[in-house]
Amino acid sequence: MSLVLQTIVSLLLIAFSAAWNIALEVTNQVDNALGGEPFSTQPSVIVNDKKGEHQPSFEGRVAVQLNQHPNETFEPVWKEGLAFPTSSADTHVSQDVIHGRVDFNGLGINAAGNYQLRFTLYDEHDLIMATTVGDNFTVSVGEMHQLGFITQPESALGGTEFGIQPILSIQDRGGNTVESINEGMITVSLQNGPEGSSLRSSDAAGFVAPIKDGLAAFKGLFLEEAAVEYSLHFTTDLILDGTNQLTSSTFSVGIGPAAQIHIVRDVSNGSAIGGKAFASQPRVEVKDAGGNVLKFDSSSAVRISFYYNPSHGTISPVDQTTELLDEGIVQFKRLAIDKAGNGYRLKYEFLHFDGTSLQDTSIATIGSYFNVDIGPPHRLSILRHSSGGWAGNQPFLIQPKVAIVDPGGNVISSDSSSIVTAHLSPSLAFDSKVIINTANDAVSSILFIEFAQNIKEDGRSMYGPGDIIHIDVIFDEEVTVFPFVDNGTPPRLMLNAAGAYAEIVDESLQGLPESKLRFEYLVQEGHSQLKLDYLSSETSLVRNDYTIEDAFGRDADLVLPALGLGASLSASKKLEISDKRPAIKSIDVDVPPGEYGAGNVLNFSVSFDREVVVFGVPLLPLNAPMPATYTHGSGTTTLHFDFRVIEGYNLDRLDVSNQAHAALLLPSPHDDMITLLTNGPSPSPVTADPRFGGISVPDSLDIAIDTTPPTVTSISPQALTTPDGSYAVGDALTFEVVFDKPVEVNKGLELTLTNGGVAYYVAGSGTETILVEYIVKEHDDTSSNLGYMNTKSLIAQNTEGGRVPVTGYVRRVSSQPTTNAILNLENVSNFADSHAIQIDTERARMLNVSFENSDEGRELIKGDFVTILVKFSAPVVIKEYSPPLLGLLINETKRWATYSSGSGSSILQFCYQISIGDDLTSPLDFKYTRVCTVGRDCTNTDGLVVRLSERLTFDANLSIGFADEGFPIADSPERGVTIDTSQAAASTVVAVTTSKASGTYGVGEMK
């Protein structure tokens, strides 16, 4: 039989299994299961007919797997000795039927939880004959066995804390976290990384994380050097049967955002002379927080300016005080300061490029102090001109004043030896004849042509109708543009886009000599060119009705640089011209998949293939009752729309409109529009195509809208902290209030209990599980089984500490919570019916005092120890640093027994050592009096012995059963002790000491 046919037959047999006279019965159910370990009680099944009669002759096998819902995560049943199943298709966990039954062995499940097993019977032809499901059972968390990862280090940038910090857990054999472990540490170290690199931490705990509730969460870990193939090593001081050390997966540390400027070379590293370029031109590196140079940033910049300017100098050239990064490095060139002075200091500031322009940041650094010295003589500077002269060799009324200055204009005050001679310069017309002949000089010609600086610096490479593009033509000598007819056509530069030309701007038509002529190209509809340039080098610059002349009136040479060479237009920037309409290429949402309720704001991003400008407030149609409203994005390729969920919306999947002709809505067609982005003064005539039919939100973004109010599904004691049992004054009981949706608590949440106590909100806002805590107080009513009071016991308010009630709310989590949760407990089971929690507020009191059994009936002598037991009605605790004393009367002589052990139990042990004089013939004369402090204060005993509880605040009753006159410790002579110290050696002096130092003392001095 082929595999396909066999599969079809098996499916049919499952559907009609009732037709077979075969049944499976589970005779032994799974019990005592721990994660990762074989079931303590393994299942057994037996093959019967429909009447329940055993079929010992049946041949086949029984396969076992979890009885799971199809949408649940696959969790395999494994069997010792077989390969671990990796998918639901694995069916090899089975055993043969022997004598009509199967006794499974070695089965287990890793993950803790509640399960059922499904058993499937196959005959010898591997056809399904019958199935059955076992009872529900629980796989509990086992004993600690191994160290495991919860999260591995990820999202690392140099010098910045990992975006995902490592969390490790102490796990059982199945990989379940053992939440009862609250001891031990886990230490992290660097396993692999570049030579010299080291792991760092900004957290006070450093590289050690304590284990709490089975978890060790590291904080503040980071690495400085950007590199690949890092890994971390983790070890624990706990003794584990499994692995107690792990190495993380390898991860990379990327270069982070700019955080610091490092000065490689400063002006102070060399000499500086007024007006001359610094001998040491500044060079800086921009680094992230880890000291990694931003080698992928060649768009941001560093600006240099004065931090301290003692002589009011000027940095030049001004246009070179801001320089772009070259792979994270800036090298300044030709910088100089004109004014000499001492104590100059420069400031370096980082300017971040945000995709559109350079933006100021707070990242800056200050250079070292340096001096600008006066340089060598460079020129004469006239400080005062002569005037008031008369003919006849009369002196000027105002004599001229000149100075020798360096290149920066600083007077060379140290020069008192040079001589300045004044000469009379006669007029050329008086005694000279000058003939100028330029007949053989070359005419002015074009050096290069380029796009204007603002175009070259613009991040766009594609321009469209409405854009203005400036083009500069640079000559080797100054030229002047003159008209030779009135109202004629000005010079034009013919471009290679069909019908396109750039026309000279008005500023170049003023009749003034200049070496640069500027032309302006207004892009029109119909213009299209992949690489904008002029048509030809010979004929593209056309004079039309104007002349372009050099200083001698000769026509300039208008031949342009050859196309494609470095001096041509396209060499300055590759620029495309297109009149294509911007079109929508994708639509996205900035929230993760999930369910959202009223008050949530979801941001849709609509991406175009070109930059667009928005006028008005467009709308994005959705499959919801209301569209999303435009918020921002004009001037970019991505427009953002907000959709606010309001009460009453319910959708299985939120998406944009699926209509074939769906398009962005423009509520006011005359005022609202979306056009192509241009740099011109008027909107582009090219409007964006608003249609997006056929485009939808990515399938991976499955967003549901559900505005139904959250409701309480259960209230129960927290299993880890509040197991069934008896609780005393000071104990804290934690209850979990579980909602069917995440909720936000803004003021408080209170649960009134059957004994009148109140559990107050402590944690969980923003999740489905809210924790409330009840602390047992003195005089709280006792209850056989504690539960909540009634269906109205859950209230959104805060009265903790006896304050006037502050009303709050419990609402579904959202950007702006609006949907109130339903707090009525009508459909919630009371945990009093399923949990046995009793509250005992009685003070611990003394029940009896007795000798230890081994001491009863003894005769004691000097030096013997006797143990006295004080039994209380409940476990008690004493302060180990200040243990109590038990007062004794032995033949009416006061003695003191010291505390020895028993704190945390209901019996405290005191010990007394027999001394000379303690002779006792009547056992009933050995009495106890009171429990007192170590200072023998028997009155102020607050906090000396307290009832065992979480907060240790409830004093035991140390008055009932105690008295100064004492009570016999033994209730009969037979259970008492006698004492005989007569045979003890006489007391002798064994030593004499003094507190005075060695030396000589005089009369009257104390020794």
Side-chain angles (χ1 to χ4, degrees):
M1 183 181 294
S2 71
L3 179 61
V4 174
L5 180 59
Q6 181 178 347
T7 303
I8 295 174
V9 172
S10 297
L11 292 173
L12 292 172
L13 288 173
I14 292 174
F16 298 102
S17 60
W20 300 103
N21 189 27
I22 291 294
L24 267 183
E25 179 185 354
V26 181
T27 58
N28 206 24
Q29 302 285 352
V30 174
D31 196 9
N32 297 327
L34 297 177
E37 300 182 23
F39 305 143
S40 296
T41 302
Q42 293 284 325
S44 297
V45 296
I46 189 170
V47 181
N48 295 328
D49 60 13
K50 295 291 187 178
K51 296 180 180 180
E53 295 180 0
H54 184 211
Q55 304 295 309
S57 62
F58 185 89
E59 295 183 2
R61 64 185 178 91
V62 175
V64 61
Q65 63 188 78
L66 287 186
N67 185 39
Q68 290 181 296
H69 188 276
N71 292 332
E72 292 179 356
T73 303
F74 172 68
E75 179 63 35
V77 178
W78 49 261
K79 179 177 172 63
E80 286 184 312
L82 294 181
F84 189 80
T86 57
S87 72
S88 57
D90 291 338
T91 58
H92 55 259
V93 182
S94 64
Q95 284 187 207
D96 292 338
V97 177
I98 300 175
H99 303 306
R101 64 181 293 118
V102 175
D103 296 313
F104 284 95
N105 59 79
L107 299 184
I109 295 174
N110 282 344
N114 297 318
Y115 300 100
Q116 282 182 301
L117 294 182
R118 174 179 292 276
F119 301 91
T120 304
L121 177 66
Y122 295 83
D123 66 5
E124 68 272 23
H125 303 295
D126 227 21
L127 299 177
I128 296 176
M129 305 299 293
T131 63
T132 191
V133 175
D135 291 347
N136 285 311
F137 66 94
T138 299
V139 175
S140 302
V141 178
E143 297 294 325
M144 65 178 185
H145 176 74
Q146 62 194 9
L147 188 62
F149 280 110
I150 300 298
T151 61
Q152 300 231 21
E154 293 181 29
S155 304
L157 296 175
T160 304
E161 296 177 6
F162 301 153
I164 299 178
Q165 294 283 327
I167 301 176
L168 288 88
S169 67
I170 303 301
Q171 301 176 349
D172 64 8
R173 293 177 183 271
N176 305 289
T177 299
V178 185
E179 297 181 351
S180 61
I181 305 301
N182 287 287
E183 60 179 345
M185 300 285 183
I186 294 179
T187 304
V188 61
S189 60
L190 183 62
Q191 176 79 5
N192 292 309
E195 184 176 356
S197 59
S198 61
L199 182 64
R200 299 182 181 275
S201 175
S202 61
D203 188 67
F207 309 112
V208 177
I211 300 171
K212 180 174 176 56
D213 299 333
L215 299 175
F218 287 88
K219 300 177 181 178
L221 296 181
F222 67 94
L223 289 157
E224 292 188 335
E225 184 175 349
V228 298
E229 300 297 326
Y230 277 107
S231 63
L232 301 183
H233 188 68
F234 301 85
T235 59
T236 179
D237 58 355
L238 295 179
I239 299 175
L240 304 174
D241 293 336
T243 179
N244 66 349
Q245 53 184 315
L246 290 173
T247 298
S248 72
S249 301
T250 57
F251 61 96
S252 299
V253 175
I255 298 175
Q260 56 183 313
I261 298 176
H262 170 66
I263 301 175
V264 178
R265 184 170 61 241
D266 197 13
V267 177
S268 60
N269 296 130
S271 61
I273 296 174
K276 286 286 188 179
F278 304 139
S280 175
Q281 290 290 321
R283 180 182 178 89
V284 299
E285 296 175 334
V286 180
K287 299 182 176 182
D288 65 7
N292 302 288
V293 177
L294 273 61
K295 62 183 180 181
F296 301 115
D297 190 345
S298 293
S299 302
S300 299
V302 172
R303 179 174 60 212
I304 195 169
S305 61
F306 284 115
Y307 180 73
Y308 186 62
N309 186 0
S311 300
H312 304 289
T314 301
I315 302 175
S316 62
V318 175
D319 61 351
Q320 294 186 29
T321 57
T322 299
E323 291 287 348
L324 293 178
L325 274 65
D326 183 2
E327 296 184 350
I329 300 173
V330 170
Q331 174 65 67
F332 291 93
K333 301 174 183 177
R334 298 187 292 277
L335 295 183
I337 295 177
D338 56 352
K339 303 297 183 184
N342 295 331
Y344 278 102
R345 207 172 183 188
L346 298 180
K347 180 179 182 180
Y348 303 87
E349 298 172 279
F350 175 70
L351 306 179
H352 172 65
F353 182 68
D354 63 1
T356 303
S357 60
L358 293 172
Q359 301 293 327
D360 286 338
T361 70
S362 60
I363 301 169
T365 191
I366 309 301
S368 301
Y369 288 102
F370 64 94
N371 300 333
V372 176
D373 299 323
I374 298 174
H378 180 70
R379 59 184 173 87
L380 287 175
S381 176
I382 299 176
L383 304 181
R384 184 174 65 210
H385 290 275
S386 60
S387 63
W390 295 91
N393 293 321
Q394 296 298 311
F396 300 127
L397 294 178
I398 298 176
Q399 293 291 321
K401 185 177 182 181
V402 297
I404 301 175
V405 298
D406 67 3
N410 302 289
V411 177
I412 303 176
S413 56
S414 61
D415 189 348
S416 297
S417 58
S418 297
I419 297 174
V420 179
T421 303
H423 296 277
L424 180 63
S425 297
S427 170
L428 288 176
F430 182 76
D431 58 4
S432 301
K433 183 177 182 180
V434 179
I435 299 173
I436 300 174
N437 185 358
T438 62
N440 296 319
D441 288 353
V443 298
S444 181
S445 62
I446 297 172
L447 288 176
F448 60 91
I449 180 171
E450 64 178 2
F451 292 108
Q453 193 67 26
N454 68 311
I455 300 298
K456 291 194 293 183
E457 292 177 352
D458 189 356
R460 291 189 297 157
S461 61
M462 181 185 291
Y463 288 70
D467 273 312
I468 294 175
I469 301 173
H470 287 122
I471 300 171
D472 293 332
V473 179
I474 312 299
F475 289 81
D476 59 356
E477 297 289 343
E478 291 181 334
V479 296
T480 307
V481 182
F482 295 104
F484 59 80
V485 296
D486 292 333
N487 300 318
T489 302
R492 290 177 176 174
L493 179 66
M494 311 309 293
L495 303 174
N496 60 352
Y501 60 84
E503 191 166 270
I504 198 167
V505 298
D506 290 341
E507 290 80 3
S508 294
L509 297 176
Q510 303 301 317
L512 300 175
E514 53 187 346
S515 60
K516 178 177 72 175
L517 299 183
R518 173 158 289 186
F519 293 78
E520 184 178 279
Y521 166 39
L522 175 60
V523 183
Q524 305 288 336
E525 289 186 88
H527 289 186
S528 179
Q529 179 55 249
L530 291 176
K531 186 177 182 182
L532 184 65
D533 213 329
Y534 40 86
L535 280 173
S536 73
S537 60
E538 298 290 334
T539 61
S540 287
L541 184 51
V542 183
R543 294 184 178 90
N544 290 324
D545 297 327
Y546 283 71
T547 63
I548 302 176
E549 303 174 355
D550 66 11
F552 305 116
R554 298 173 299 176
D555 287 339
D557 184 353
L558 302 186
V559 175
L560 298 168
L563 292 170
L565 295 184
S568 66
L569 180 62
S570 60
S572 65
K573 180 177 182 178
K574 183 180 178 181
L575 193 151
E576 180 181 351
I577 302 298
S578 173
D579 64 348
K580 185 176 75 72
R581 298 179 70 187
I584 297 172
K585 63 180 183 179
S586 65
I587 301 177
D588 211 337
V589 189
D590 71 348
V591 295
E595 183 181 281
Y596 295 84
N600 277 119
V601 177
L602 312 180
N603 177 260
F604 286 78
S605 54
V606 178
S607 297
F608 287 81
D609 58 1
R610 299 185 69 176
E611 294 87 349
V612 294
V613 177
V614 177
F615 299 88
V617 184
L619 303 174
L620 174 64
L622 306 174
N623 63 346
M626 295 293 289
T629 304
Y630 167 78
T631 58
H632 64 285
S634 181
T636 70
T637 58
T638 303
L639 303 184
H640 297 271
F641 296 77
D642 278 354
F643 171 68
R644 187 180 303 278
V645 182
I646 63 175
E647 297 284 354
Y649 288 3
N650 290 286
L651 291 169
D652 292 334
R653 188 177 192 277
L654 178 65
D655 205 337
V656 295
S657 173
N658 59 4
Q659 298 295 318
H661 301 291
L664 297 178
L665 303 176
L666 301 172
S668 301
H670 297 292
D671 300 321
D672 296 351
M673 59 181 176
I674 303 173
T675 67
L676 179 67
L677 172 67
T678 67
N679 60 10
S682 302
S684 172
V686 178
T687 59
D689 185 351
R691 296 173 298 175
F692 58 85
I695 297 176
S696 61
V697 170
D699 293 339
S700 59
L701 293 176
D702 194 2
I703 298 172
I705 303 298
D706 181 1
T707 60
T708 57
T711 59
V712 181
T713 60
S714 66
I715 301 178
S716 62
Q718 190 178 52
L720 185 63
T721 61
T722 313
D724 289 359
S726 178
Y727 293 84
V729 173
D731 280 333
L733 287 72
T734 302
F735 300 95
E736 296 178 346
V737 182
V738 181
F739 292 81
D740 60 357
K741 299 178 181 67
V743 295
E744 178 178 309
V745 180
N746 80 321
K747 296 294 184 182
L749 183 65
E750 298 179 354
L751 179 68
T752 304
L753 305 173
T754 51
N755 68 341
V758 176
Y760 298 97
Y761 166 79
V762 290
S765 182
T767 70
E768 296 176 352
T769 302
I770 303 300
L771 301 182
V772 293
E773 184 182 74
Y774 162 55
I775 299 175
V776 180
K777 299 179 179 61
E778 189 176 3
H779 306 306
D780 276 2
D781 294 334
T782 58
S783 173
S784 56
N785 274 348
L786 187 68
Y788 62 79
M789 183 73 77
N790 52 45
T791 60
K792 298 181 180 179
S793 293
L794 196 62
I795 303 174
Q797 66 179 21
N798 188 347
T799 61
E800 196 168 2
R803 70 178 74 178
V804 175
V806 177
T807 303
Y809 65 69
V810 178
R811 292 175 178 169
R812 178 166 182 178
V813 169
S814 68
S815 306
Q816 296 179 341
T818 58
T819 306
N820 287 308
I822 297 175
L823 302 183
N824 189 284
L825 305 180
E826 185 176 355
N827 298 317
V828 178
S829 299
N830 199 318
F831 57 86
D833 300 329
S834 55
H835 292 271
I837 294 178
Q838 294 85 35
I839 305 301
D840 181 4
T841 61
E842 182 182 359
R843 286 183 182 273
R845 67 185 189 284
M846 188 271 287
L847 296 180
N848 62 67
V849 179
S850 64
F851 292 111
E852 193 173 46
N853 290 341
S854 60
D855 287 334
E856 292 180 355
R858 286 181 61 195
E859 180 179 82
L860 306 175
I861 62 174
K862 176 183 177 296
D864 283 345
F865 288 92
V866 62
T867 300
I868 302 166
L869 307 179
V870 179
K871 185 176 182 180
F872 288 85
S873 61
V876 293
V877 175
I878 62 98
K879 296 177 180 177
E880 297 289 349
Y881 61 86
S882 181
L885 300 176
L886 177 63
L888 302 176
L889 288 176
I890 302 177
N891 272 339
E892 302 304 320
T893 300
K894 183 173 287 189
R895 301 295 192 198
W896 298 96
T898 58
Y899 166 79
S900 60
S901 64
S903 181
S905 70
S906 60
I907 297 177
L908 299 184
Q909 296 188 15
F910 293 83
C911 185
Y912 174 69
Q913 186 176 21
I914 304 300
S915 302
I916 293 177
D918 288 343
D919 294 273
L920 181 71
T921 57
S922 173
L924 299 182
D925 286 336
F926 200 137
K927 301 178 181 179
Y928 69 91
T929 58
R930 295 185 182 277
V931 176
C932 307
T933 68
V934 69
R936 301 183 181 181
D937 184 347
C938 303
T939 303
N940 300 313
T941 58
D942 292 347
L944 185 63
V945 181
V946 298
R947 178 163 177 172
L948 176 64
S949 68
E950 188 169 336
R951 284 171 170 75
L952 302 177
T953 59
F954 200 32
D955 285 339
N957 190 326
L958 299 181
S959 58
I960 297 177
F962 297 96
D964 292 336
E965 62 273 18
F967 295 101
I969 295 176
D971 57 6
S972 66
E974 294 78 16
R975 301 188 64 180
V977 298
T978 58
I979 302 173
D980 182 4
T981 63
S982 61
Q983 301 303 315
S987 298
T988 60
V989 176
V990 296
V992 177
T993 62
T994 178
S995 61
K996 291 291 185 178
S998 301
T1000 303
Y1001 295 87
V1003 175
E1005 288 185 287
M1006 296 292 293
K1007 295 186 179 179

